[in-house]
């Protein structure tokens, strides 16, 4: 429970703003969003997200949380932020070294609940 709360705290304090509000909002190009692309702000967000992503990688590597099997509130809190972030090419490539976190995402991104709640999924 403590590790779950820690993950939620890391995500809220150190990941949401750079990954979603900077990288995604400034770097996602899709006609449905009407977002204004700003490559410099996107790159800034990607760089600022690295420490949080590195901490989450360490936690995922432990295998107690973010393991893709035992779903907790931490997983559910992180999924939409990683989903939005990974829609930006620079984020995907910047996360290549985070193999445990990528394994977690691969497990969760294939779940019907994640697929069916994708806001950009074709109807």
């Amino acid at each position: 429970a403590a590790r779950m709360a820690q993950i939620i705290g890391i995500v809220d304090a150190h990941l949401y703003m750079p990954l979603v509000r900077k990288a995604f909002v400034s770097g996602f190009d899709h006609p449905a969003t009407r977002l204004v692309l700003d490559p410099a702000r996107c790159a800034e967000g990607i760089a600022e997200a690295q420490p949080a992503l590195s901490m989450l990688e360490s936690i995922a590597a432990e295998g107690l949380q973010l393991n893709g099997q035992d779903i907790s509130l931490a997983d559910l809190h992180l999924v939409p932020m990683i989903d939005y972030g990974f829609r930006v090419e620079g984020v995907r490539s910047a996360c290549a070294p985070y193999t445990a976190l990528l394994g977690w995402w691969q497990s969760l991104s294939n779940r019907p609940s994640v697929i069916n709640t994708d806001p950009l999924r074709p109807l």
Side-chain angles (χ1 to χ4, degrees):
R3 187 59 98 186
M4 179 183 67
Q6 181 185 30
I7 293 165
I8 292 169
I10 291 167
V11 169
D12 285 347
H14 304 288
L15 191 64
Y16 174 75
M17 186 58 73
L19 191 65
V20 177
R21 300 292 295 164
K22 287 186 178 180
F24 174 75
V25 170
S26 301
F28 182 64
D29 189 15
H30 190 279
T33 63
R34 298 184 191 146
L35 299 175
V36 177
L37 298 180
D38 183 345
R41 184 164 167 83
C42 178
E44 178 183 301
I46 293 169
E48 289 175 7
Q50 293 308 303
L53 290 168
S54 180
M55 289 188 306
L56 294 171
E57 169 68 14
S58 296
I59 292 169
E62 288 176 343
L64 301 174
Q65 289 282 319
L66 303 181
N67 59 28
Q69 303 300 315
D70 305 310
I71 307 302
S72 73
L73 291 176
D75 296 275
L76 301 176
H77 194 62
L78 182 57
V79 161
M81 291 178 217
I82 293 294
D83 183 29
Y84 280 133
F86 278 14
R87 292 171 192 258
V88 176
E89 179 55 41
V91 173
R92 287 192 299 270
S93 59
C95 288
Y98 305 128
T99 57
L101 193 58
L102 290 174
W104 165 84
W105 174 244
Q106 185 63 41
S107 294
L108 268 77
S109 65
N110 291 318
R111 294 175 66 92
S113 58
V114 174
I115 293 167
N116 293 333
T117 58
D118 179 351
L120 297 175
R121 181 178 69 121
L123 300 174

